[in-house]
Amino acid sequence: MATAADTHAMRRAVALAARGLGSTSPNPVVGCVITDASGRRVGEGFHQRAGGPHAEIHALREAGGHARGGTAYVTLEPCNHTGRTGPCAQALTEAGIARVVYAVADPNPQATGGADTLRAAGVQVERGLLEEEAEAGNTAWLTSVRLGRPYVVWKYAATLDGRVAAADGTSRWISSPESRADVHRLRAEADAVVVGSGTARADDPHLAVRGIDGATQPLRVVLDTEARAVRPGARVLDDAAPTLVAVAEDAETGLPGVLRLPRTGRGLSVPALLEALYARGVRSVLLEGGPTLAGSFVAAGAVDRVVGYLAPVLLGAGPTALAEAGITTITEALRLDVAESVRLGPDLRITATVPKGA
């Protein structure tokens, strides 16, 4: 049975894992804490970037010889395969770790089996401590592995009566500076930011992260079905971050390196887009497009989390946050689970998740 010291150490590991958000894909975020045989914390670490040492390796290096006979607390089952780095299960065994406590089992078939390898080497292994907390912190990667597509967060800013722009199309600024700054945090945690042609034409968005030191810039993705919205000189084509323009298979464009996708009645195929992004190592997507694009993603069952910034403003007319999404009656409504509500300046940020199987 887990002790208070075990829980404290694992909670620290969960906090460490969060430091890797936005910089580890296609790998997970992982945190590790090591205590010596007497229970004293002697090492800790987190996975900082893909291709770099895993959390366990950082923690073992800090612990040195003090790891022998100690306990390793890891947010994800130690890996059991050799990729760009060696198997962590073997490293823990060679360091003389006597006990490993991990929160979440690794669903990746290429990496699973670390717990069995540790047990075979005589290491005491325990699973499930703070599993829900660790799962929540690593939900984007875990979801992407289980579904074979990136985890999608749809972000929007709206007035209290649900409008994202006025009747004349003006929308700057509905939300507060505090909310807009928070959006850059969401971008920094995502592997890709996606908008549609309507947003590209109306706003000429930049989509790069600003105001966050050391942030890894996400891939900027514009869905431009007819290849008419993104023109030379567009802000999204600068060198601040990588950019991918997706167009229809039959569209004519002079832009280099475009992604060609099949058409659907709504524009471009959302599943095909997500499949292509997943193949490029994208495990999390921030959807910042307008109501039409959001409706396409909701209709495709490709939204996992919604982050809405609600401003205490009334317009009474203008486009709403979500356009046609294939929902025609109240019984088909997509009902979400509210995870959090937070005040940001004058605004209210509501975070809600789509229930599994919805």
Side-chain angles (χ1 to χ4, degrees), residues 75 105 140 149 192 213 266 301:
T75 56
R149 64 155 175 83
D213 293 338
R266 294 174 172 269

Side-chain angles (χ1 to χ4, degrees), residues 134-229:
E135 173 111 13
N138 206 16
T139 188
W141 182 84
L142 290 167
T143 300
S144 72
V145 171
R146 292 163 181 162
L147 298 182
R149 64 155 175 83
Y151 183 84
V152 177
V153 176
W154 169 40
K155 159 263 165 188
Y156 70 91
T159 62
L160 205 56
D161 57 339
R163 308 291 176 174
V164 294
D168 64 357
T170 55
S171 61
R172 295 186 179 184
W173 294 102
I174 285 176
S175 60
S176 66
E178 293 88 347
S179 292
R180 299 198 296 274
D182 193 62
V183 170
H184 286 278
R185 175 189 61 83
L186 293 180
R187 289 180 182 176
E189 294 178 356
D191 298 333
V193 178
V194 177
V195 299
S197 57
T199 298
R201 280 191 296 265
D203 299 338
D204 188 21
H206 192 226
L207 303 181
V209 177
R210 298 188 303 276
I212 299 180
D213 293 338
T216 300
Q217 291 292 346
L219 174 67
R220 300 177 292 189
V221 182
V222 181
L223 273 60
D224 187 6
T225 305
E226 305 299 339
R228 296 173 184 168

Side-chain angles (χ1 to χ4, degrees), residues 51-122:
H54 290 187
E56 297 93 322
I57 305 305
H58 283 297
L60 286 171
R61 288 175 179 172
E62 185 175 296
H66 298 292
R68 186 162 298 278
T71 298
Y73 301 87
V74 195
T75 56
L76 185 69
E77 179 184 1
C79 67
N80 196 44
H81 79 299
T82 299
R84 285 183 282 184
T85 60
C88 291
Q90 179 180 337
L92 291 166
T93 300
E94 292 176 350
I97 288 289
R99 175 176 174 241
V100 171
V101 181
Y102 70 93
V104 180
D106 194 332
N108 184 353
Q110 294 180 324
T112 192
D116 292 337
T117 296
L118 289 164
R119 290 191 184 95

